[in-house]
Amino acid sequence: NLSAVSEFVFVGLSDAPEIRLLLFVLFLLIYLATMAGNITLLVAISTDSHLHSPMYFFLGNLSLLDLLCPTITVPKMLGALLLEHKEISFSGCLFQHFSLIAAVGTEIFLLAVMAYDRYVAVCHPLRYPSIMSTKLCAQLALGTWATGLLNSLLHTSLVFTLSFCGPNRIQQYYCDLPPVLALSCLSTHSTELVILVVAGVLGSGACVVTVVSYICILLEILARKSPGIWHKAFSTCGSHLAVVCLFYGTTICTYVRPSSTYSPHWDRVVSMLYGMLTPLLNPIIYSLRNKEVKCALKRVISQV
């Protein structure tokens, strides 16, 4: 007597109309600020010749991802808050899940590539233009996007080939991995194991590249012992390091744990920090810590 689930229903952030309106206005402002910040940064990088370098090429890719991540989830959440339309079709949930995992995975690999770029800039400054050539930068960027898409394809195929025949209420405001797995009629232990292994190998590899790059940077700084080297290195790597800490902190809290510890209320809060706050803060962090970006943004704003 079991029937396949044809749609899912999101659990609302609040049932009180006045609270829903307040949350709608708040999240709409955050979303618009995120869009404005990242679009302005993309325009500055693409139009200002001073920013046509590998570091800002990768930063442009990061801004593009920061545009995609909230766009995948926030409009649907705003619709649920304003119109109480909380349903999403099975295919829509599949697409949302695939897009979000692809964006998250791509950002993890991109941050590792950006860490390597900073390592070459600090440890091999004279060879930097020849090592980080235009061809290599394009290959690295293409590789991060391709790896993120393939990783997401594997995750999505494993999750949505499960049977969903019972409850269809997702304890989240988007089709995230843990709450969707919790609705399956079948045992998800093997699926979770495969996902954890694949995500662990790829994520650990990207994390190792990031950590090793910064260890090499630190050793290089200690070996030189030249005046002002700490300030120069921090100005070169500080923004990226802050973004890495923010991204990994929220991602680990959201995904790196067994499903038995899943807490719907806590996870909705953490997901908002990851899905909305991180894309909002990334362009601000790079703007505040980088004089070239600030000058380029001023030129863009003055032209507008």
Side-chain angles (χ1 to χ4, degrees):
N1 293 329
L2 296 177
S3 59
V5 170
S6 60
E7 67 176 15
F8 294 101
V9 179
F10 297 123
V11 174
L13 299 176
S14 175
D15 293 327
E18 62 276 8
I19 299 298
R20 287 206 313 269
L21 182 60
L22 179 62
L23 291 175
F24 172 82
V25 174
L26 175 63
F27 293 142
L28 177 62
L29 292 176
I30 293 175
Y31 178 65
L32 293 177
T34 302
M35 295 296 103
N38 285 285
I39 289 174
T40 304
L41 192 56
L42 274 172
V43 171
I45 291 173
S46 60
T47 58
D48 197 304
S49 59
H50 297 89
L51 303 184
H52 291 174
S53 66
M55 173 184 174
Y56 299 110
F57 170 71
F58 295 129
L59 179 57
N61 280 265
L62 182 64
S63 293
L64 182 58
L65 287 169
D66 287 337
L67 285 172
L68 291 176
C69 277
T71 302
I72 293 167
T73 60
V74 174
K76 184 67 179 177
M77 180 190 67
L78 294 176
L81 287 171
L82 187 64
L83 306 174
E84 295 191 62
H85 183 69
K86 303 176 183 179
E87 297 80 12
I88 185 171
S89 65
F90 187 90
S91 57
C93 187
L94 185 151
F95 178 75
Q96 190 182 67
H97 180 274
F98 172 80
S99 302
L100 184 64
I101 297 297
V104 172
T106 303
E107 189 160 345
I108 290 174
F109 306 131
L110 182 63
L111 290 175
V113 169
M114 294 174 73
Y116 173 74
D117 172 71
R118 294 300 83 206
Y119 155 74
V120 177
V122 173
C123 299
H124 305 284
L126 298 179
R127 297 174 55 203
Y128 179 75
S130 59
I131 295 176
M132 299 302 295
S133 62
T134 303
K135 181 180 179 181
L136 179 62
C137 291
Q139 290 173 341
L140 289 173
L142 183 61
T144 59
W145 285 88
T147 308
L149 289 172
L150 291 174
N151 175 59
S152 180
L153 182 62
L154 175 62
H155 278 63
T156 307
S157 61
L158 287 172
V159 173
F160 284 88
T161 51
L162 296 170
S163 294
F164 298 93
C165 50
N168 66 341
R169 291 176 64 84
I170 296 179
Q171 298 290 330
Q172 187 57 279
Y173 66 90
Y174 63 93
C175 290
D176 199 13
L177 184 62
V180 172
L181 281 176
L183 299 179
S184 175
C185 304
L186 303 177
S187 173
T188 60
H189 293 301
S190 58
T191 301
E192 287 184 48
L193 181 61
V194 174
I195 290 174
L196 284 174
V197 169
V198 173
V201 170
L202 294 177
S204 299
C207 186
V208 166
V209 171
T210 304
V211 172
V212 170
S213 297
Y214 276 104
I215 290 176
C216 293
I217 290 173
L218 179 61
L219 294 176
E220 181 70 17
I221 293 172
L222 295 174
R224 288 186 188 178
K225 296 180 180 179
S226 59
I229 187 65
W230 282 100
H231 176 74
K232 183 178 179 181
F234 186 73
S235 63
T236 303
C237 308
S239 299
H240 178 258
L241 192 58
V243 169
V244 166
C245 294
L246 181 64
F247 177 83
Y248 275 99
T250 53
T251 305
I252 289 172
C253 290
T254 305
Y255 294 108
V256 185
R257 53 181 177 72
S259 60
S260 59
T261 62
Y262 176 68
S263 172
H265 300 292
W266 170 248
D267 279 28
R268 281 198 288 271
V269 174
V270 175
S271 297
M272 288 177 192
L273 293 177
Y274 163 75
M276 301 185 70
L277 190 61
T278 302
L280 173 66
L281 292 180
N282 283 353
I284 296 175
I285 291 171
Y286 272 97
S287 299
L288 293 177
R289 293 296 313 164
N290 195 300
K291 291 182 179 179
E292 291 181 332
V293 173
K294 284 193 287 187
C295 292
L297 291 176
K298 288 179 181 178
R299 285 191 286 269
V300 170
I301 293 171
S302 64
Q303 289 174 0
V304 172

